[in-house]
Amino acid sequence: MRIDNGDHVSASRKHLVFAYYVTGHGFGHATRVVEVVRHLILAGHDVHVVTGAPDFVFTTEIESPRLFIRKVLLDCGAVQADALTVDRLASLEKYSQTAVAPRASILATEVEWLNSIKADLVVSDVVPVACRAAADAGIRSVCVTNFSWDFIYAEYVMAAGYNHRSIVWQIAEDYSHCEFLIRLPGYCPMPAFRDVIDVPLVVRRLHKSRAEVRKELGIGDDVKLVIFNFGGQPAGWKLKQEYLPASWMCLVCGASDDQELPPNFIKLAKDVYTPDLIAASDCMLGKIGYGTVSEALAYKLPFVFVRRDYFNEEPFLRNMLEHYQGGVEMIRRDLLIGHWTPYLERAISLKPCYEGGINGGEIAARILQDTAIGKNYVSDKLSGARRLRDAIVLGYQLQRVPGRDIFIPDWYALAENQLGLRTASPISEMSRTSSLAKSCTEDFEILHGDLHGLSDTMNFLKSLAELDTIHDSGKNTEKRRMRERLAASTLFNWEEDIFVARAPGRLDVMGGIADYSGSLVLQMPIREACHVAVQRIHPSKQKLWKHAQARRNVKGQESTPVLQIVSYGSELSNRGPTFDMDLSDFMDGDNPISYEEANKYFAKDPSQKWASYVAGTILVLMTELGIRFNDSISILVSSAVPEGKGVSSSAAVEVASMSAIAAAHGLDINPRDLALLCQKVENHIVGAPCGVMDQMTSACGEANKLLAMICQPAEVIGLVNIPTHIRFWGIDSGIRHSIGGTDYGSVRIGTFMGRKMIKSIASSLLSHALSSANSQKHMDGIISDDLEEDDGELLEDESSLDYLCNLSPHRYESVYAKRLPESMLGGAFLEKYTDHNDSVTVIDHKHNYGVKAAAQHPIYENFRVKAFKALLTAENSDEQLCALGELMYQCHYSYSSCGLGSDGTDRLVKLVQEMQHSKLSKSKTGTLFGAKITGGGSGGTVCVIGRNCLRSSEQILEIQQKYKDATGYLPFLFEGSSPGAGKFGYLKIRRCVLPSLS
């Protein structure tokens, strides 16, 4: 149906023309489009499919003159390096080339084409620009999908840096022109669409029975059959006969023409119709995608899946698969080395129980037909601008409260409640804490340590005590919710000691990214913390998970030390809940493997890379302290420090893990040294180029105090009391913070390049001054008279500058500011200076690095932090608070000038400023005085300083609500403080033996 000046122009129900755009990501989209298109054609309509997929995907199922295929690729989807690996940067680059650079030309071409075919409706799965082209052509458009590209690309932007962020917003804006969304089961959050119609699974029909397919293949019913299905990306799989259990056969999809297979593997043709083969198999082994999951559920086929890297769609489909008892997760390592048997045998014991509809294609086609003739399925009360405004809600990250598992369909209803304010009264909190303490002492005998009255520690012990009562209830919902706890329930021997450590996240009050330049920093440990429980177990007594036992059996090992880790909260992101490895994997002969080898070890499977933060502490202890681990180790990690908010969730995990492991092995490591060891984990094993302030605060901080530290490399100069009239808050922007992305790394490199240049300039000036003290000759455009007589000693120090923050602001301005370039190409720098002398970053020859702003920031930041620290001890006055706030504002804008920051954090700082300078605030005593972005990276949390009073809290809540009104996202608030790991110490506990009832 076309739109003419806002009035509907009716089309004929008998013959409609549909333009159906299909995204270029894999075959899954094309295969589900086939089913919708088939029903549209059966109803007598013409369908023009715009796709980059091969023709056979459509023509083998639809033979009709009403099907028109136009081979055009208008978006690239996610670029995959192989069947399991999405290349995030390549995806964004390809999308820029495919859809951004030629955007004007694409729109003009598509509008002309839509008019030429006289399209009545544009359907998109899920090509963004198709919605905009339809709007420009005056045609209604509808999307049919279970995910949208703004949500998928949001994760990639964190790795790509600031310059690609506009892609996410452009995609969301394109989708906002869509009339409504026909949403498929297993859907992701799609905030760019506000009007939604849900339909059942879209599944391709069967052409042949199970018996017919097996007869054609020559496979009897007594043979177990697995279909190996990793989509359209050939991966050069090296398959061996022993990968399969005896009497099993495997059907291989997507094998290359020259690939030779063992006799128990059968190569399928490229254009084979897979639904028939899926229904004829006993289970499927592959990666999760809409096509594989929907057909596995529809035909009740157990699905052994291996996680795919960096694809945000996967957790939602995985939850749906497991909800209906249809899924078994295989660790990628076991896939590659052929430990398939325990997974396949587990799969065929499942009884998938999906009973929902599988006629989504037919229903979607009927909705599309009715829409094309003018029927309004949805109201027009929400404009495209309103839809776009809400795109920030979930467009940048999958946001969930730690420790909670959420049903897929409940997302929108639950999100605000879960992110809401804590409303419990102090009295009820005290009562609850007292009750928890009593129950904890009943559950465990505390042999060493103190609970410190921390309710989160009591909660952790309570959840730990409940593990030995967990059993497999058999209920679908309970099994899905308790998956992590079921794995954790086998970790510990309850008759032996367990060691528990706790480490908080931190709020960066002042210092931020100046830490790696040697600055003074002021950091506050927050209330949210990570708990880690560790137990040493003799290898012969350890309960191994099935795949680990199978690995041991294959190696012929009786009892070797094994590390097993369970991490609560895997549903928060696309990562596995468990990790295990033989501790011998950390050894190369008699010596530990290198950090570089460890980095590669964990990078092989990004869904388990999280384990590098935990297991990496073991390798660092082996390497740096010469410790050898002869017992198996069981570790349970439970962190309430939200990820991606700039409050050091990774440091909390590292510090808590190393503290618990050290306690379990009788190692006495002081908090400062432990923090430095944890930094090695992050820098060298995880591969994130962070400074040391995060680990130091988590290890050495104390509640309600600021840790003052000079990062050269880590000299704690004391704890600074927060005056009782001052309070700090953290407000989360909802935009994921990352120090692993190019923004943070590029600024760090630019800073070290600036230091190298300053040292070089100082050396040149010193050499010139010594050799030509009375000369007026020019040297590189520098006149020696510019130098004062006393500059020689200063230049000598500056020529060997160890930390950039040791250069004072006035020296920087008088000598170096005008001589530093704004930016420099990496290759040009290396050619002139050879190296930037930073062991944790690598210069890209082709990248242009900002130098001046990056070098200037830490020099001035060090001065600001010193001034801030001094002001904290000044007399209580508005002038004191205004000066403290001004220093924070200056820090924020200096930070932004480096190329960091984000729209969200800038908006929050502006809201604080507006609140501070409002007429109402001025008419009363001001309560909020300053704000700044925290930590490193380009998103995360803003730190706010204010007067410690009720009105301040009210204003913080007002800012929280204003931010939600503007963006749709309700910020998480960080309030309160708690002790660091050193102050907490450790708990040594043992399960109390309950008296038997007689």
Side-chain angles (χ1 to χ4, degrees):
M1 187 199 74
R2 291 173 170 270
I3 302 169
D4 185 12
N5 296 324
D7 297 324
H8 293 172
V9 178
S10 296
S12 167
R13 180 188 290 272
K14 294 181 179 179
H15 180 247
L16 299 169
V17 177
F18 294 87
Y20 211 134
Y21 289 80
V22 187
T23 190
H25 179 74
F27 287 174
H29 297 267
T31 55
R32 73 185 180 200
V33 165
V34 165
E35 191 62 18
V36 181
V37 170
R38 186 173 69 84
H39 283 285
L40 289 172
I41 289 176
L42 285 173
H45 307 307
D46 288 355
V47 183
H48 295 255
V49 177
V50 184
T51 181
D55 289 0
F56 74 80
V57 177
F58 301 92
T59 56
T60 54
E61 178 67 358
I62 303 172
E63 296 181 6
S64 170
R66 293 190 179 279
L67 172 65
F68 304 88
I69 298 178
R70 176 172 167 241
K71 300 304 288 292
V72 178
L73 184 65
L74 295 180
D75 76 48
C76 61
V79 176
Q80 295 192 211
D82 56 44
L84 292 173
T85 307
V86 173
D87 189 325
R88 293 173 292 175
L89 299 182
S91 297
L92 293 172
E93 291 292 347
K94 185 71 178 292
Y95 188 85
S96 294
Q97 297 166 10
T98 306
V100 177
R103 179 176 173 81
S105 172
I106 288 172
L107 286 171
T109 300
E110 295 312 302
V111 168
E112 181 181 356
W113 177 74
L114 288 170
N115 286 322
S116 72
I117 66 169
K118 295 182 171 55
D120 294 297
L121 186 71
V122 171
V123 189
S124 177
D125 183 354
V126 62
V127 181
V129 75
C131 304
R132 176 56 186 269
D136 289 353
I139 307 171
R140 297 172 79 181
S141 64
V142 175
C143 283
V144 183
T145 187
N146 66 306
F147 74 82
S148 55
W149 286 114
D150 54 337
F151 180 72
I152 301 299
Y153 285 159
E155 178 73 20
Y156 306 171
V157 166
M158 292 305 100
Y162 190 87
N163 57 313
H164 282 296
R165 290 204 186 128
S166 60
I167 288 177
V168 174
W169 291 104
Q170 182 65 71
I171 291 172
E173 185 179 25
D174 282 347
Y175 287 146
S176 74
H177 294 284
C178 177
E179 192 81 14
F180 60 88
L181 166 68
I182 295 177
R183 188 167 60 182
L184 305 179
Y187 58 81
C188 302
M190 291 180 279
F193 304 100
R194 291 306 302 270
D195 294 313
V196 174
I197 300 172
D198 287 303
V199 299
L201 287 174
V202 175
V203 180
R204 290 180 291 174
R205 59 180 177 162
L206 297 182
H207 291 167
K208 300 175 183 178
S209 69
R210 173 186 173 94
E212 288 174 323
V213 172
R214 284 187 169 244
K215 184 177 180 181
E216 290 179 3
L217 293 171
I219 297 175
D221 273 343
D222 59 331
V223 175
K224 294 297 181 185
L225 190 61
V226 56
I227 181 166
F228 187 82
N229 187 2
F230 280 86
Q233 292 83 19
W237 304 104
K238 296 179 180 178
L239 304 173
K240 298 180 181 180
Q241 185 170 348
E242 58 268 26
Y243 287 5
L244 297 177
S247 77
W248 278 64
M249 298 286 289
C250 180
L251 306 178
V252 182
C253 301
S256 57
D257 294 335
D258 58 350
Q259 185 175 0
E260 294 186 6
L261 298 178
N264 52 350
F265 288 79
I266 300 173
K267 186 186 302 184
L268 298 175
K270 289 282 195 303
D271 59 352
V272 69
Y273 190 66
T274 54
D276 291 344
L277 294 162
I278 286 174
S281 299
D282 295 290
C283 68
M284 177 159 52
L285 171 57
K287 66 180 180 182
I288 285 181
Y290 180 86
T292 52
V293 169
S294 62
E295 290 171 356
L297 289 175
Y299 303 122
K300 293 183 170 53
L301 186 76
F303 190 172
V304 179
F305 63 87
V306 183
R307 296 190 188 219
R308 182 168 27 167
D309 309 346
Y310 309 121
F311 204 71
N312 292 354
E313 171 194 24
E314 187 171 277
F316 299 90
L317 292 171
R318 186 178 73 241
N319 282 348
M320 183 170 67
L321 184 68
E322 294 178 346
H323 177 74
Y324 293 110
Q325 299 187 71
V328 175
E329 180 176 353
M330 176 185 282
I331 297 171
R332 183 182 301 191
R333 183 172 71 244
D334 287 343
L335 170 74
L336 298 178
I337 64 177
H339 290 316
W340 294 8
T341 297
Y343 300 98
L344 298 179
E345 291 178 345
R346 168 62 179 157
I348 60 172
S349 72
L350 297 179
K351 298 187 183 301
C353 58
Y354 179 77
E355 299 293 344
I358 58 173
N359 61 336
E362 180 183 358
I363 294 174
R366 186 164 61 246
I367 295 171
L368 294 174
Q369 174 185 268
D370 290 347
T371 304
I373 63 173
K375 181 174 180 179
N376 281 320
Y377 269 91
V378 293
S379 68
D380 58 357
K381 64 183 183 296
L382 296 174
S383 67
R386 172 67 183 277
R387 296 171 191 156
L388 175 59
R389 194 174 72 182
D390 281 0
I392 194 175
V393 179
L394 294 166
Y396 273 114
Q397 67 176 61
L398 172 58
Q399 170 69 48
R400 292 184 176 178
V401 169
R404 293 292 300 275
D405 192 8
I406 302 168
F407 285 114
I408 302 165
D410 294 341
W411 176 267
Y412 285 105
L414 295 178
E416 184 169 332
N417 293 335
Q418 291 166 0
L419 294 174
L421 297 172
R422 304 173 182 89
T423 56
S425 69
I427 293 176
S428 65
E429 287 287 345
M430 289 173 61
S431 174
R432 181 168 172 271
T433 298
S434 175
S435 175
L436 276 171
K438 183 178 179 181
S439 66
C440 287
T441 53
E442 291 173 352
D443 294 328
F444 288 102
E445 180 183 1
I446 299 177
L447 305 174
H448 176 275
D450 184 359
L451 295 174
H452 295 274
L454 294 166
S455 60
D456 62 340
T457 301
M458 298 172 197
N459 277 321
F460 177 72
L461 293 184
K462 188 66 179 173
S463 69
L464 196 62
E466 292 169 352
L467 288 179
D468 69 341
T469 64
I470 285 178
H471 61 280
D472 193 334
S473 67
K475 296 180 181 179
N476 302 345
T477 301
E478 289 303 314
K479 288 182 74 173
R480 191 175 71 79
R481 283 180 168 178
M482 298 173 68
R483 178 177 53 163
E484 294 167 349
R485 283 172 168 74
L486 283 170
S489 67
T490 65
L491 279 176
F492 302 116
N493 179 344
W494 299 107
E495 297 177 357
E496 301 293 334
D497 297 342
I498 299 172
F499 295 81
V500 175
R502 177 190 185 278
R506 65 96 187 95
L507 188 65
D508 168 35
V509 175
M510 288 291 286
I513 58 169
D515 60 342
Y516 54 71
S517 294
S519 178
L520 173 69
V521 297
L522 296 172
Q523 308 293 307
M524 184 181 81
I526 59 176
R527 176 169 57 182
E528 291 75 14
C530 173
H531 287 85
V532 172
V534 170
Q535 186 177 68
R536 294 172 62 179
I537 304 175
H538 190 278
S540 63
K541 296 181 179 180
Q542 188 179 27
K543 300 174 186 176
L544 293 178
W545 295 317
K546 288 183 179 179
H547 61 271
Q549 183 64 56
R551 186 172 66 239
R552 175 180 286 181
N553 293 342
V554 168
K555 291 182 178 180
Q557 298 168 328
E558 288 299 322
S559 57
T560 57
V562 173
L563 170 65
Q564 293 190 144
I565 308 172
V566 174
S567 174
Y568 287 165
S570 66
E571 296 302 319
L572 310 183
S573 57
N574 185 22
R575 59 182 173 86
T578 64
F579 173 84
D580 66 277
M581 63 178 289
D582 296 338
L583 283 174
S584 59
D585 289 350
F586 273 155
M587 297 297 293
D588 181 8
D590 295 331
N591 298 311
I593 63 173
S594 69
Y595 292 151
E596 183 181 5
E597 290 175 287
N599 177 271
K600 292 177 180 177
Y601 179 91
F602 290 108
K604 288 178 182 177
D605 187 353
S607 71
Q608 292 201 311
K609 188 176 179 181
W610 62 268
S612 60
Y613 295 96
V614 183
T617 62
I618 293 175
L619 180 61
V620 167
L621 290 172
M622 294 168 69
T623 304
E624 305 299 329
L625 301 185
I627 308 298
R628 294 295 179 265
F629 297 91
N630 298 315
D631 287 335
S632 291
I633 304 174
S634 291
I635 301 178
L636 175 62
V637 181
S638 177
S639 181
V641 185
E643 297 176 25
K645 299 190 183 304
V647 291
S648 299
S649 57
S650 60
V653 170
E654 292 157 356
V655 170
S657 297
M658 188 173 287
S659 297
I661 291 167
H665 291 83
L667 305 177
D668 185 13
I669 307 173
N670 69 60
R672 177 185 181 275
D673 291 342
L674 187 135
L676 290 172
L677 291 170
C678 288
Q679 186 195 18
K680 290 182 181 293
V681 176
E682 184 125 11
N683 285 171
H684 303 299
I685 298 177
V686 177
C690 71
V692 73
M693 70 180 190
D694 300 352
Q695 290 82 5
M696 288 295 291
T697 310
S698 188
C700 305
E702 292 189 18
N704 300 309
K705 296 180 180 180
L706 300 180
L707 181 76
M709 179 180 66
I710 297 176
C711 304
Q712 301 188 15
E715 180 187 348
V716 175
I717 61 174
L719 293 159
V720 180
N721 288 316
I722 300 173
T724 56
H725 67 281
I726 291 176
R727 189 173 181 182
F728 297 102
W729 295 265
I731 309 179
D732 167 42
S733 67
I735 297 175
R736 188 172 181 84
H737 159 277
S738 171
I739 61 168
T742 57
D743 287 351
Y744 178 86
S746 294
V747 172
R748 175 167 178 149
I749 289 171
T751 304
F752 277 85
M753 287 168 66
R755 182 179 71 116
K756 187 67 172 277
M757 291 179 189
I758 286 172
K759 292 173 65 176
S760 177
I761 292 168
S763 295
S764 296
L765 290 172
L766 179 62
S767 175
H768 181 71
L770 293 175
S771 61
S772 309
N774 299 314
S775 173
Q776 294 298 314
K777 292 177 61 179
H778 288 63
M779 177 180 180
D780 295 330
I782 302 169
I783 302 176
S784 59
D785 277 356
D786 290 346
L787 306 177
E788 299 293 334
E789 291 183 4
D790 296 332
D791 274 359
E793 188 174 332
L794 289 171
L795 288 172
E796 187 172 355
D797 291 340
E798 290 157 6
S799 66
S800 58
L801 190 65
D802 48 359
Y803 291 97
L804 198 51
C805 287
N806 290 339
L807 182 65
S808 63
H810 76 270
R811 283 292 294 171
Y812 168 76
E813 288 291 348
S814 67
V815 182
Y816 302 105
K818 60 187 175 184
R819 297 182 171 101
L820 282 183
E822 294 292 335
S823 63
M824 180 174 276
L825 200 65
F829 175 86
L830 292 173
E831 185 176 345
K832 184 172 182 180
Y833 298 99
T834 307
D835 189 13
H836 67 321
N837 301 122
D838 179 23
S839 61
V840 298
T841 57
V842 178
I843 294 177
D844 181 350
H845 284 69
K846 298 180 181 178
H847 189 84
N848 193 42
Y849 295 95
V851 174
K852 189 170 185 178
Q856 180 173 294
H857 174 79
I859 294 170
Y860 278 91
E861 182 70 357
N862 189 40
F863 171 78
R864 286 188 288 262
V865 182
K866 288 179 178 179
F868 193 95
K869 179 175 178 289
L871 277 167
L872 284 172
T873 61
E875 182 181 354
N876 176 5
S877 65
D878 281 355
E879 288 77 12
Q880 177 208 30
L881 285 163
C882 285
L884 290 168
E886 179 61 29
L887 289 169
M888 292 180 75
Y889 285 139
Q890 289 182 19
C891 169
H892 179 80
Y893 291 109
S894 175
Y895 185 105
S896 298
S897 70
C898 294
L900 296 174
S902 69
D903 295 338
T905 48
D906 286 347
R907 184 187 291 274
L908 284 169
V909 170
K910 187 176 180 181
L911 286 172
V912 173
Q913 291 173 341
E914 290 172 354
M915 189 71 72
Q916 177 185 357
H917 300 299
S918 67
K919 290 182 180 179
L920 181 62
S921 183
K922 286 183 176 179
S923 66
K924 301 179 180 181
T925 303
T927 60
L928 300 183
F929 293 90
K932 62 175 280 291
I933 192 171
T934 65
S938 296
T941 296
V942 162
C943 177
V944 181
I945 186 172
R947 194 181 299 279
N948 188 12
C949 62
L950 179 61
R951 178 59 185 151
S952 293
S953 296
E954 291 172 349
Q955 289 189 327
I956 290 292
L957 296 182
E958 288 180 46
I959 289 171
Q960 184 189 40
Q961 189 58 48
K962 285 183 178 181
Y963 190 80
K964 183 192 174 187
D965 292 342
T967 66
Y969 175 79
L970 184 68
F972 188 101
L973 291 183
F974 294 96
E975 300 179 89
S977 182
S978 67
K983 192 71 174 177
F984 179 86
Y986 67 89
L987 300 177
K988 180 181 178 182
I989 60 175
R990 182 176 293 179
R991 192 76 165 92
C992 292
V993 179
L994 298 177
S996 59
L997 297 176
S998 57

